[in-house]
């Protein structure tokens, strides 16, 4: 009798275990088939894609790959003429969504739309940023020009916004890691700036912009530690694009040494090379356009 009880207990536990294994492998298969097979080539999101470096990322991601989908987000999709031109060319592979990094509900809405349409994300590029805005933010040349409102604005757009974007896309990135592309992890690339390096600060000035990028760097380092601790298949890095000929740098290009002002095409090509070759050990690191690590 005793032998029979032990035997049936063993059979019951073995059945439960195999059911649990079956269920977990079905769940895994369901998520992989949804994200990998349906979206061959993966799904990338470029945040801050209306112009400049962000728009160039969208262009190269679409033009360099035969497959793969891109979600481009920006504050005002209607006015984003560069994105409309790309949409005409890549009707099926490009989606455009409204997202203002200072309005969290627009980030949540984008995450919802991406989840419903694609189910996962393989790459997130946070490209938005501000250096100067008429009447609101001017890169400070001296402490006497520092204003609370400028410090707060730069911090809100350049540091808080990108981190909230990662927070809301995180569940999609976890699924995206290991599927859809040749990579076995999802990647987050935050466009920072060398001036955010405290160790590299020899010239001073640009207090609001510098401090906001330093804050972005620290926030990114912090989440990269969490991703690694939780064994999430997500790598998050910081990238300095060089001095690039865009609206952001245009008023400040006078003192750029010859040969040091890059086209956005060149800069994004270099940044995509870093992204495509990223390793797990790069998680949390801060790289310049040429692949050199930048000191904190
Ligand atoms: N250009 C350089 O030399 C240089 C150097 C170092 C680092 N960076 C960094 O590179 C990134 C891209 O800069 P860029 O040169 O391409 O500048 P840009 O041409 O001025 O483009 C800035 C982008 O940020 C978007 N943006 C601004 N505020 C936003 C908000 N609240 N929510 C969502 N998007 C917002 C803009 O959208 P709207 O069209 O709606 O304004 C635009 O798409 C920035 O993070 C910048 O700090 C640039």
């Amino acid at each position: 009798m005793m032998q029979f009880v032990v035997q049936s207990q063993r059979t019951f536990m073995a059945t439960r275990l195999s059911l649990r294994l079956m269920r977990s492998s079905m769940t895994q298969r369901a998520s992989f088939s949804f994200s990998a097979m349906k979206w061959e080539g993966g799904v990338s999101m470029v945040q801050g894609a209306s112009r400049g470096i962000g728009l160039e990322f969208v262009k190269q991601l679409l033009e360099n790959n035969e497959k793969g989908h891109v979600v481009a987000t920006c504050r005002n999709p209607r006015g984003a003429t560069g994105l409309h031109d790309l949409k005409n060319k890549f009707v099926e592979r490009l989606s455009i969504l409204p997202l203002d990094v200072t309005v969290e509900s627009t980030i949540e809405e984008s995450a919802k739309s991406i989840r419903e349409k694609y189910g996962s994300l393989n790459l997130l590029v946070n490209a938005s940023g501000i250096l100067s805005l008429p009447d609101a933010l001017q890169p400070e040349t001296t402490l006497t020009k520092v204003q609370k409102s400028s410090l707060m604005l730069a911090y809100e757009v350049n540091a808080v916004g990108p981190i909230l974007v990662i927070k809301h896309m995180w569940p999609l990135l976890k699924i995206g890691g290991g599927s859809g592309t040749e990579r076995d992890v999802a990647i987050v690339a935050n466009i920072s700036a060398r001036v955010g390096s405290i160790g590299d600060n020899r010239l001073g000035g640009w207090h609001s912009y510098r401090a906001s990028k330093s804050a972005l760097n620290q926030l990114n380092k912090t989440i990269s530690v969490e991703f690694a601790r939780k064994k999430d298949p997500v790598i998050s890095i910081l990238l300095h694009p060089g001095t690039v000929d865009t609206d952001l740098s245009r008023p400040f290009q006078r003192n750029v040494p010859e040969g040091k002002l890059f086209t956005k095409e060149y800069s994004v090509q270099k940044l995509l090379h870093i992204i495509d070759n990223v390793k797990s050990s790069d998680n949390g690191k801060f790289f310049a356009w040429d692949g050199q690590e930048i000191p904190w």
Side-chain angles (χ1 to χ4, degrees):
M1 177 67 185
M2 190 60 194
Q3 209 180 355
F4 172 74
V5 171
V6 172
Q7 187 65 36
S8 33
Q9 261 179 353
R10 274 202 201 122
T11 316
F12 175 70
M13 279 162 72
T15 314
R16 270 182 53 167
L17 183 67
S18 58
L19 270 174
R20 215 181 310 146
L21 285 172
M22 258 170 64
R23 235 179 279 135
S24 99
S25 91
M26 275 166 68
T27 322
Q28 272 176 15
R29 239 180 286 143
S31 61
F32 280 123
S33 62
F34 186 59
S35 50
M37 286 163 67
K38 192 170 174 198
W39 308 111
E40 204 180 340
V43 184
S44 304
M45 168 177 174
V46 182
Q47 185 282 115
S50 59
R51 51 199 170 91
I53 293 170
L55 177 61
E56 184 60 26
F57 260 105
V58 177
K59 186 166 177 277
Q60 291 195 24
L61 282 167
L62 289 165
E63 288 179 350
N64 297 353
N65 306 298
E66 265 177 51
K67 293 171 182 158
H69 290 249
V70 179
V71 181
T73 69
C74 61
R75 286 194 286 193
N76 172 21
R78 272 185 177 207
T81 50
L83 281 178
H84 290 295
D85 293 344
L86 286 173
K87 180 70 182 167
N88 289 336
K89 218 168 137 193
F90 299 96
V91 184
E92 297 297 327
R93 294 174 55 209
L94 175 62
S95 303
I96 305 171
L97 296 174
L99 190 158
D100 181 330
V101 294
T102 64
V103 184
E104 193 169 358
S105 59
T106 66
I107 307 175
E108 288 172 303
E109 278 303 311
S110 291
K112 190 166 168 258
S113 299
I114 297 169
R115 189 171 54 246
E116 284 170 5
K117 181 162 181 186
Y118 299 104
S120 66
L121 269 180
N122 304 93
L123 170 67
L124 162 62
V125 179
N126 261 323
S128 60
I130 51 168
L131 169 60
S132 64
L133 279 184
D135 303 326
L137 173 65
Q138 280 308 314
E140 307 87 348
T141 47
T142 156
L143 175 61
T144 55
K145 296 203 172 149
V146 169
Q147 288 179 10
K148 181 178 174 183
S149 58
S150 312
L151 285 164
M152 300 306 274
L153 179 62
Y155 184 67
E156 184 180 24
V157 177
N158 295 343
V160 178
I163 286 305
L164 291 179
V165 173
I166 303 173
K167 173 186 161 181
H168 291 292
M169 301 303 155
W170 188 17
L172 299 167
L173 290 159
K174 282 191 217 184
I175 302 170
S179 62
T181 63
E182 281 162 19
R183 292 184 217 113
D184 55 4
V185 288
I187 298 177
V188 178
N190 297 289
I191 312 303
S192 183
R194 189 186 288 277
V195 295
S197 162
I198 295 171
D200 194 65
N201 186 354
R202 293 179 194 92
L203 291 175
W206 292 20
H207 306 56
S208 301
Y209 185 69
R210 271 183 196 282
S212 67
K213 291 292 189 181
S214 305
L216 171 69
N217 293 358
Q218 176 67 287
L219 288 164
N220 182 70
K221 176 72 192 177
T222 305
I223 59 163
S224 74
V225 171
E226 183 171 353
F227 293 163
R229 204 177 52 230
K230 293 191 167 143
K231 296 193 169 49
D232 274 355
V234 184
I235 290 177
S236 194
I237 57 171
L238 297 150
L239 296 172
H240 167 59
T243 305
V244 187
D245 187 11
T246 64
D247 296 339
L248 179 138
S249 69
R250 206 145 292 137
F252 312 98
Q253 291 176 0
R254 214 171 338 127
N255 297 327
V256 180
E258 211 179 313
K260 292 285 179 198
L261 181 64
F262 299 152
T263 62
K264 46 189 188 302
E265 290 80 4
Y266 177 77
S267 171
V268 170
Q269 203 182 313
K270 291 296 208 178
L271 299 181
L272 276 171
H273 180 75
I274 298 175
I275 291 171
D276 287 340
N277 291 286
V278 88
K279 304 181 293 293
S280 305
S281 54
D282 294 331
N283 188 27
K285 290 187 180 169
F286 183 16
F287 296 104
W289 56 275
D290 57 0
Q292 295 287 316
E293 224 183 305
I294 302 177
W296 298 117

